Amino acid sequence: EVQLVESRGGLVQPGGSLRLSCEASGFTFSVYAMTWVRQAPGRGLEWVSTITGSGGLIYYADSVRGRFTISRDNSKNTLYLDMNSLRAEDTAIYYCAKDGKAVAGFESWGQGSLVTVSS
Amino acid sequence: DIQLTQSPSTLSASVGDRVSITCRASQSISNWLAWYQQTPGKAPKLLIYKASTLQSGVPSRFSGSGSGTEFTLTISSLQPDDFATYYCQKYNSYSSLIFGGGTKVEIK
């Protein structure tokens, strides 16, 4: 069974930093692209960043490029999101999601981590 | 950049109704479209991919159609578990896996 377990989020001051992690199990992690998606309170889904299975290709939404860094450690089956220069508008639930490959969509999701940026 | 526009933003319906949600892309995305269902407090769930392929385990009352710039998600007979928010997503390139704005299906 595929499982994606995210780290606990937290409360961060504006301008601060936070690292999220997503530990994967139940599949060959290194084969699949992984993505972070966020959802601000009461709002829709926003794609944040995607990293290919090898880590060789990385993509970011304009809203986070230059501030967030996605990475993965395939030896630990873990995906990361390093968030710097956090702003109030980064407040959201952050989900990690697994690419389906032949299934063109996110076929598995983590439980979500709440990140609150506030003073 | 390609944008996705969903309509309506809210839909009121009753159990047993047939409902349809539209997703329009600002440029052609062929059939690279996915649909998700999200209930409050839960992660989204993949329903349909490649515009019309039902994800494993999803009830057959859900169907998808369309290609190019216009897509439709149809629920043939709305069930109590189907009251949720639905999102479309373009899935043609990892460089921009954007979502539509969402459609909330609520009880009439």
Side-chain angles (χ1 to χ4, degrees):
Chain A
E1 178 194 4
V2 171
Q3 283 202 306
L4 299 173
V5 179
E6 301 182 35
S7 57
R8 183 184 292 269
L11 174 63
V12 185
Q13 291 193 337
S17 300
L18 189 68
R19 169 178 258 204
L20 298 180
S21 64
C22 169
E23 187 170 342
S25 61
F27 64 102
T28 306
F29 183 67
S30 61
V31 170
Y32 292 88
M34 296 292 294
T35 294
W36 289 98
V37 175
R38 69 183 180 183
Q39 187 169 35
R43 305 295 296 272
L45 301 172
E46 180 185 12
W47 170 74
V48 172
S49 181
T50 296
I51 184 169
T52 55
S54 66
L57 292 174
I58 287 173
Y59 305 95
Y60 296 102
D62 289 344
S63 58
V64 306
R65 186 176 291 114
R67 300 187 300 122
F68 288 13
T69 301
I70 191 172
S71 63
R72 63 192 298 158
D73 185 337
N74 287 343
S75 69
K76 295 181 179 178
N77 289 349
T78 302
L79 173 73
Y80 301 100
L81 184 68
D82 288 296
M83 302 182 289
N84 297 311
S85 303
L86 282 162
R87 306 166 180 167
E89 54 264 36
D90 295 318
T91 294
I93 296 172
Y94 286 74
Y95 295 100
C96 60
K98 171 184 172 288
D99 177 42
K101 268 202 179 292
V103 171
F106 298 144
E107 59 179 6
S108 299
W109 295 69
Q111 82 280 10
S113 295
L114 177 61
V115 174
T116 303
V117 183
S118 175
S119 55
Chain B
D1 287 355
I2 297 175
Q3 306 298 320
L4 296 179
T5 303
Q6 284 184 237
S7 61
S9 55
T10 306
L11 189 161
S12 297
S14 302
V15 172
D17 284 353
R18 179 183 180 89
V19 301
S20 292
I21 298 167
T22 297
C23 178
R24 289 189 174 87
S26 58
Q27 298 175 41
S28 176
I29 55 172
S30 185
N31 68 339
W32 294 107
L33 192 93
W35 289 98
Y36 298 85
Q37 176 194 64
Q38 188 181 32
T39 53
K42 298 284 186 67
K45 173 186 173 184
L46 178 65
L47 299 175
I48 300 241
Y49 62 94
K50 290 183 183 174
S52 60
T53 303
L54 201 65
Q55 171 67 340
S56 177
V58 173
S60 58
R61 63 180 180 273
F62 291 93
S63 64
S65 63
S67 67
T69 61
E70 186 149 339
F71 303 87
T72 302
L73 173 70
T74 299
I75 309 172
S76 60
S77 177
L78 203 61
Q79 298 301 300
D81 286 349
D82 303 338
F83 291 97
T85 301
Y86 294 85
Y87 296 93
C88 59
Q89 179 197 30
K90 78 175 190 71
Y91 214 90
N92 58 334
S93 170
Y94 289 148
S95 63
S96 179
L97 297 173
I98 64 164
F99 293 90
T103 296
K104 183 178 182 180
V105 177
E106 59 182 26
I107 301 173
K108 183 185 274 187

